[in-house]
Amino acid sequence: MPPKPTLSVAIVGVGLVGSELISQLLAIQAPNPFRLVSLTSSRYTLFAADGLGVNAGSWASALSASSATPNLPVLAEQLAKLEAAVLVDNTSSQDVAELYPEFLKRGVHVVTPNKKAFSANQQLYDAILRASRETGARWLNESTVGAGLPVVQTLKDLVATGDKVKKIEGVFSGTMSYIFNNFSTANPGGPAFSSVVRVAREKGYTEPHPADDLNGADVARKLAILARSIPSLQNALPEGYTSVQTRSLVPQALGSVSSGAEFVDRLPEFDVEFEKLREEARAEGSVLRFVGVVDVENGIVKADLEKYPTTHPFATSLGGSDNIVMFHTERYSPRPLIVQGAGAGAAVTAMGVMSDLLKLVL
Amino acid sequence: MPPKPTLSVAIVGVGLVGSELISQLLAIQAPNPFRLVSLTSSRYTLFAADGLGVNAGSWASALSASSATPNLPVLAEQLAKLEAAVLVDNTSSQDVAELYPEFLKRGVHVVTPNKKAFSANQQLYDAILRASRETGARWLNESTVGAGLPVVQTLKDLVATGDKVKKIEGVFSGTMSYIFNNFSTANPGGPAFSSVVRVAREKGYTEPHPADDLNGADVARKLAILARSIPSLQNALPEGYTSVQTRSLVPQALGSVSSGAEFVDRLPEFDVEFEKLREEARAEGSVLRFVGVVDVENGIVKADLEKYPTTHPFATSLGGSDNIVMFHTERYSPRPLIVQGAGAGAAVTAMGVMSDLLKLVL
């Protein structure tokens, strides 16, 4: 067994997830299989083929002292010259995502929690697959779904080992999980929808504008990523996440409200509607959950508000802002394989990124 | 990215799991990263450095037509000459397990669902770690715990990315799961313990001799494997699984009954004792579950019969012969990371083995 070459790591995006990842990366004990060769923020960039020589206390000031400005096409060329290199994209930028094929074509791996590339149109996705196939460079995206939870790899393993996935069903948004775990329980009554959303926003569980969670797009993107990992659905979503049947919970009248604060202030006008849905569910002995479904047998991919009996794991087992994912397969039948836990947050997202990086060196 | 060499695979043990693995391996579509170079049963062996050239319909007859008898030290030498090779041990043999260091020392990876090597005494475990470190050959054992469920890799990822594991708690035996899911529920009354065991045996859910499940050793072995993956407990179990605090459910008076049938016939003598435990639990609003606990903070590793409230996931969410594992960590706190699903069976066990093989080539 010849020793594997040290993997050169270029990190783009040094916000919450990026900073946490840098901590995890620099904390690895010798012999460290990684060498940090580049950091890029929205304003600055650093590159040194032999390693930046920074530590947990110095990287941020070194980066902001740089005189170089970000240039990802140049970075791709720089990384291509190294023996083994990986781009880690911690942004949520569509522009960065669209450059993945350029890195992969040059033999540079891509690891990312950024959902954009894999949930956009088929052209970009196909370009990623093609570039990866050409050079053998890999793209790994465990933390795009469920953050550090083993969801993407589990699905890949099921598929790669010849299991037949019949249906994937889950609560894929920590925000939606929190909102409905609090809004709709087995008990009668409960808080108004708007007040749950307001509290969630105050706790930082929603995006600054809650409509960015309530529109279901985040769930639809995750479903697109999972669906495309299943051979029969690889081309089923030509426009990516916008091809997913998605129920938006944003009231039509509030669709054009651009301020998050105003949105929350006006949401009580629609409490009666949500209350009606909650009561309908309760009358059937059910609770409401905003779920994602990939129904392979019927070719349906949808993000929707559904009712589940109060004895169902989505009602009994969920709490906080947990994600839960059930894989119904030929082997895991009649009882599914289930993964559950926190599906958002910088530490667990960085952990998912880090576990992908470890796959490249172990 | 230079293309990875084809991985030569030597399979020892061609029973239920081995046969299923061979099917999964031969079903991989071109370009197949694996080359099947050796098969070994308890009586025969085949080796061909260029590949055996067998298919799903021919391997069994080719093997039984072989004139060569098993010789694992010779196999280790044969594999050592190949560019990249892996031993897959599908037996449950202690003798095979004790040879892992010989393979690893020669740069041959080891992949196995066999718990014996990792749950035996510290000397063998340390020899495995040492040999692997020397040559870079890897040992992967995902399916030793929870079969195809992502349990071992999830724990490794938590540790490798710097999370602090506080406690692992779970139902690790499909047999024990089935028995207690049926024996102890939220409802009053229920079948006698001996009758549940009898049905489990008839359905093939227990070993031929149910004492081999009820003695808790299988759970203790799995706990030893998990505990040793946690840095602070790596040396905590000098004698391996026998160092785990284990409650045996085999009545002392039946300890020397060597026939499984006689054991089941005499078990009703002890129904009153189990009934008493069940009623004690119910009086507290709890159910009985045979669980494994790795309490890292207190350095306790135990397999025991415990009580859980009827609202706990071990009571509400378990069914059939499911395994469930909860990881309580610094990051996954206060709510744990949970993995649940079938934890036994040839197809899901082979899937775990196969997913380990894929880690070596991707």
Side-chain angles (χ1 to χ4, degrees):
Chain A
M1 307 297 311
K4 291 215 182 179
T6 300
L7 183 63
S8 296
V9 180
I11 294 180
V12 176
V14 294
L16 288 175
V17 172
S19 303
E20 172 69 27
L21 178 70
I22 294 168
S23 301
Q24 291 185 18
L25 202 60
L26 294 173
I28 290 187
Q29 307 201 330
N32 192 324
F34 304 108
R35 179 192 293 130
L36 184 59
V37 298
S38 178
L39 289 172
T40 302
S41 68
S42 54
R43 298 173 63 190
Y44 304 108
T45 190
L46 281 176
F47 176 83
D50 295 336
L52 296 179
V54 293
N55 60 40
S58 70
W59 69 262
S61 51
L63 179 57
S64 58
S66 170
S67 57
T69 53
N71 188 325
L72 294 185
V74 168
L75 180 63
E77 296 298 340
Q78 289 167 325
L79 296 178
K81 291 182 193 133
L82 305 177
E83 196 178 1
V86 59
L87 170 77
V88 181
D89 171 20
N90 298 309
T91 74
S92 56
S93 154
Q94 182 73 38
D95 291 344
V96 177
E98 284 178 7
L99 291 170
Y100 295 170
E102 299 307 313
F103 285 84
L104 293 166
K105 258 185 225 166
R106 289 167 176 77
V108 177
H109 305 295
V110 173
V111 167
T112 184
N114 181 355
K115 293 181 279 289
K116 295 282 163 64
F118 318 105
S119 58
N121 60 51
Q122 194 76 32
Q123 290 90 307
L124 177 54
Y125 190 68
D126 287 346
I128 288 170
L129 295 185
R130 205 163 42 234
S132 169
R133 219 177 292 125
E134 272 168 31
T135 64
R138 298 173 65 191
W139 52 276
L140 294 166
N141 59 350
E142 179 59 73
S143 42
T144 54
V145 183
L149 299 176
V151 173
V152 172
Q153 187 62 44
T154 296
L155 176 57
K156 284 183 185 170
D157 283 341
L158 289 166
V159 170
T161 63
D163 201 356
K164 296 277 177 299
V165 179
K166 296 177 186 172
K167 191 164 84 163
I168 305 172
E169 188 170 20
V171 173
F172 292 98
S173 155
T175 311
M176 290 291 208
S177 181
Y178 175 86
I179 289 173
F180 285 96
N181 294 344
N182 284 282
F183 176 65
S184 180
T185 70
N187 305 319
F193 187 76
S194 63
S195 76
V196 176
V197 173
R198 179 182 292 275
V199 171
R201 182 168 184 260
E202 283 164 7
K203 289 189 173 178
Y205 290 173
T206 71
E207 297 291 325
H209 196 316
D212 292 338
D213 295 296
L214 294 175
N215 65 15
D218 171 71
V219 175
R221 284 191 184 274
K222 290 167 179 166
L223 294 175
I225 292 169
L226 295 179
R228 283 171 167 173
S229 300
I230 297 168
S232 66
L233 297 178
Q234 201 179 315
N235 301 299
L237 302 166
E239 298 306 319
Y241 81 100
T242 57
S243 297
V244 173
Q245 298 171 30
T246 306
R247 154 111 73 140
S248 171
L249 300 185
V250 177
Q252 213 158 7
L254 302 187
S256 58
V257 173
S258 60
S259 141
E262 186 190 341
F263 180 86
V264 169
D265 286 342
R266 289 190 52 193
L267 200 54
E269 299 167 31
F270 305 90
D271 277 340
V272 175
E273 285 177 36
F274 284 102
E275 175 63 22
K276 191 163 156 259
L277 293 171
R278 175 165 68 181
E279 284 311 314
E280 275 172 17
R282 184 144 43 223
E284 297 175 21
S286 296
V287 299
L288 297 172
R289 293 293 179 264
F290 194 89
V291 297
V293 177
V294 179
D295 179 344
V296 184
E297 290 176 323
N298 298 303
I300 295 167
V301 185
K302 64 172 180 177
D304 207 346
L305 191 63
E306 303 273 4
K307 289 176 270 195
Y308 290 88
T310 52
T311 54
H312 190 279
F314 292 1
T316 60
S317 178
L318 274 184
S321 53
D322 273 2
N323 282 194
I324 186 169
V325 186
M326 292 185 163
F327 297 95
H328 297 267
T329 76
E330 204 168 79
R331 289 182 200 140
Y332 289 97
S333 174
R335 300 183 55 79
L337 189 166
I338 305 176
V339 177
Q340 181 181 338
V348 293
T349 302
M351 169 191 157
V353 174
M354 194 68 212
S355 71
D356 277 346
L357 287 173
L358 288 167
K359 286 172 199 155
L360 295 173
V361 294
L362 293 182
Chain B
M1 305 298 309
K4 291 218 182 179
T6 300
L7 183 64
S8 295
V9 180
I11 294 181
V12 176
V14 294
L16 287 175
V17 172
S19 302
E20 173 68 28
L21 178 70
I22 294 168
S23 300
Q24 291 185 18
L25 202 60
L26 294 172
I28 290 186
Q29 307 202 330
N32 193 325
F34 303 107
R35 178 192 293 131
L36 184 60
V37 298
S38 178
L39 289 173
T40 301
S41 67
S42 53
R43 298 175 62 191
Y44 305 107
T45 190
L46 281 176
F47 176 82
D50 296 337
L52 295 179
V54 293
N55 60 41
S58 71
W59 69 263
S61 50
L63 179 57
S64 58
S66 171
S67 56
T69 52
N71 188 327
L72 295 186
V74 168
L75 180 63
E77 295 298 341
Q78 289 166 326
L79 296 178
K81 293 183 190 130
L82 305 177
E83 194 177 5
V86 59
L87 170 76
V88 181
D89 171 18
N90 297 308
T91 73
S92 57
S93 156
Q94 182 73 36
D95 291 343
V96 177
E98 283 178 9
L99 291 169
Y100 295 170
E102 300 306 313
F103 285 85
L104 293 165
K105 261 185 224 167
R106 288 167 177 76
V108 177
H109 304 297
V110 173
V111 167
T112 185
N114 181 356
K115 293 182 278 289
K116 296 280 163 67
F118 317 105
S119 58
N121 60 51
Q122 194 76 30
Q123 289 91 310
L124 178 55
Y125 191 67
D126 286 346
I128 289 169
L129 295 184
R130 204 163 44 235
S132 170
R133 220 177 290 124
E134 271 169 31
T135 64
R138 298 173 64 191
W139 52 277
L140 295 166
N141 59 350
E142 179 59 72
S143 42
T144 54
V145 184
L149 299 176
V151 174
V152 173
Q153 187 62 44
T154 296
L155 176 57
K156 285 183 185 168
D157 283 342
L158 290 165
V159 170
T161 64
D163 201 355
K164 296 276 178 297
V165 178
K166 296 177 186 171
K167 190 165 85 162
I168 306 172
E169 188 171 21
V171 173
F172 292 99
S173 155
T175 310
M176 291 290 208
S177 181
Y178 174 87
I179 289 173
F180 285 96
N181 294 344
N182 284 282
F183 176 64
S184 181
T185 70
N187 304 318
F193 186 74
S194 64
S195 76
V196 175
V197 173
R198 179 181 291 277
V199 171
R201 183 167 183 262
E202 283 164 6
K203 287 188 172 178
Y205 290 172
T206 70
E207 298 291 325
H209 196 317
D212 293 337
D213 295 295
L214 294 175
N215 65 14
D218 171 72
V219 175
R221 284 190 183 275
K222 290 167 180 166
L223 294 175
I225 292 169
L226 295 179
R228 284 172 166 174
S229 301
I230 297 168
S232 67
L233 297 178
Q234 201 179 315
N235 301 301
L237 302 166
E239 298 306 318
Y241 80 100
T242 57
S243 297
V244 173
Q245 297 171 31
T246 306
R247 152 109 75 139
S248 171
L249 299 185
V250 177
Q252 214 158 5
L254 300 187
S256 58
V257 173
S258 62
S259 141
E262 185 190 340
F263 180 86
V264 170
D265 285 342
R266 290 190 52 193
L267 200 54
E269 300 166 30
F270 305 89
D271 277 339
V272 174
E273 286 176 35
F274 285 101
E275 175 62 24
K276 190 164 157 260
L277 293 171
R278 175 165 68 182
E279 283 312 312
E280 273 171 21
R282 183 144 45 223
E284 298 175 19
S286 296
V287 299
L288 297 172
R289 294 292 181 264
F290 194 89
V291 298
V293 177
V294 179
D295 180 343
V296 184
E297 290 176 322
N298 298 303
I300 294 168
V301 186
K302 65 172 180 176
D304 206 347
L305 192 62
E306 303 272 4
K307 288 176 269 193
Y308 289 88
T310 53
T311 54
H312 190 279
F314 291 0
T316 61
S317 178
L318 273 184
S321 52
D322 272 3
N323 282 194
I324 185 169
V325 186
M326 292 185 162
F327 297 95
H328 297 266
T329 76
E330 203 168 82
R331 289 182 198 141
Y332 289 97
S333 173
R335 300 184 54 79
L337 190 166
I338 304 176
V339 177
Q340 179 181 340
V348 294
T349 303
M351 169 191 157
V353 175
M354 195 69 213
S355 72
D356 277 346
L357 286 173
L358 289 165
K359 286 172 199 155
L360 296 173
V361 295
L362 292 182

